[in-house]
Amino acid sequence: MAVVKPFKGIRPPQDLVEQVASLPYDVLSSDEARKKACGNEKSLYHIIKPEIDFPEGTDDHDPRVYQKAAENFQKFQDKGWLVQDEKERYYIYAQTMKGKTQYGLVVGAYVPDYLNGVIKKHELTRRDKEEDRMKHVRASDANIGPVFLAYPDNAVLDAVVAKYVAEPPVYDFVAPEDGFGHTFWIIDKDEDIETVTKAFAAIPALYIADGHHRSAAAALVGAEKAKQNPNHRGDEEYNYFMAVCFPANQLTVIDYNRVVRDLNGLTPQQFLDKLTPNFVVEEKGTEIYKPDVIHNFGLYMDGKWYSLTAKEGTYDDKDPIGVLDVTISSNLILDKILGIKDLRSDKRIDFVGGIRGLGELKKRVDSGEMKMALALYPVSMKQIMDIADTGNIMPPKTTWFEPKLRSGIIIHKLS
């Protein structure tokens, strides 16, 4: 059962939230962060991408960079750009994209729940990325950016959320980069705080939607601190990390598509011929073709779109991994025909989040940078949860959640 607790959030004053809040650290480059923060000393990029305060070309893993993150975090507090709440609270963070709103509960998630599998993952993490985030957490002694968790639908939590969102929010703004709305409320009544804690205690598992490296780093640093503390009790703040938990039925998983640099020595026609044993191939012309059911793919190559439908018998409906479209395309197209065996390391392939639209696939092929693009139908939350429940791991680059959680709206200190 899931253990959560309220915490004393560190937040911007209402009139500064739009200047402070930022995109997550891992969705933009150092150069992009430098440009976005230009002229704005209050931008959280100075904390989550502190290399922007050094000359261009500075290694973002330089020890000075992590130290700068800690210095800037303290500076923001000293100047009153970030202020800690006096009382432990839960919070509600809502995001609106294209007219659809999802409501998340901001909680302190329990480190042992991550370590013992109550908080379930569906992706592998890379040690180098874990270590980068661990260094950042250690230096700042805080979870600056939240982890994105999902939970099975729960009427008790729905009722608490509905009660608060009927009231005026603390923050309510639209991010200029993408037009997504961000709204925030504070759960401050003791009886409601207790209700939230008890409701989560009845939920058997939470699921990482986005932020596998953030959650791993937060949990590992928490475990480190526990080991280093001779008087460790188990209720210290470092035993928890910040997460925004959304009901699974509110979440939107969008497509995560592939572009490939070459056809492994094949002509376009030879490539199409090699597809036919396993796929029904239909030419669709020059108009963008978007798959609208599972096991159907959009192929763009040589100025034309094609529909590829996997034939029965080419996948196993009883295998939670084998039935995924990412697995079908990886096995039968990328590996078998194009010789791409490791999606994590092969430089011939790149990945494009569906938020950019299928026009981005066409653009990258038409430019000559890529030879072929593959559009996939998105996985469902049910598939993600089923795979996590069975202890399986999804293939790389399977899920893309949108909108991304804004960083800087709320921060969790570890001490």
Side-chain angles (χ1 to χ4, degrees), residues 307-410:
S307 164
L308 311 180
T309 303
K311 295 179 179 178
E312 286 191 23
T314 60
Y315 52 86
D316 182 358
D317 282 323
K318 297 178 181 177
D319 178 353
I321 300 296
V323 76
L324 295 174
D325 285 348
V326 286
T327 305
I328 294 169
S329 59
S330 293
N331 291 346
L332 301 182
I333 302 176
L334 300 176
D335 183 352
K336 187 173 183 179
I337 301 175
L338 298 177
I340 296 171
K341 299 185 180 299
D342 187 346
L343 300 186
R344 294 179 185 277
S345 62
D346 198 308
K347 302 301 184 186
R348 296 167 57 214
I349 190 169
D350 198 8
F351 306 88
V352 181
I355 193 66
R356 301 181 72 91
L358 298 191
E360 179 70 12
L361 303 185
K362 182 178 186 298
K363 176 183 172 183
R364 293 187 68 175
V365 173
D366 288 347
S367 71
E369 177 200 3
M370 298 293 176
K371 191 70 175 178
M372 178 272 278
L374 202 58
L376 278 65
Y377 188 72
V379 299
S380 68
M381 273 307 302
K382 183 179 186 306
Q383 285 177 308
I384 292 171
M385 293 165 75
D386 286 348
I387 284 167
D389 283 340
T390 56
N392 284 294
I393 296 295
M394 282 187 161
K397 309 295 185 180
T398 298
T399 58
W400 184 283
F401 286 88
E402 201 72 44
K404 301 294 185 186
L405 297 174
R406 210 85 179 156
S407 293
I409 291 178
I410 181 116

Side-chain angles (χ1 to χ4, degrees), residues 11-21 40 42-43 76 79-83 171 173 408:
R11 306 182 289 109
Q14 195 171 41
D15 62 333
L16 297 184
V17 65
E18 292 183 62
Q19 294 178 66
V20 173
N40 179 11
K42 300 180 183 69
S43 170
F76 274 48
K79 287 185 171 288
W81 302 342
L82 290 171
V83 180
Y171 305 138
F173 67 96

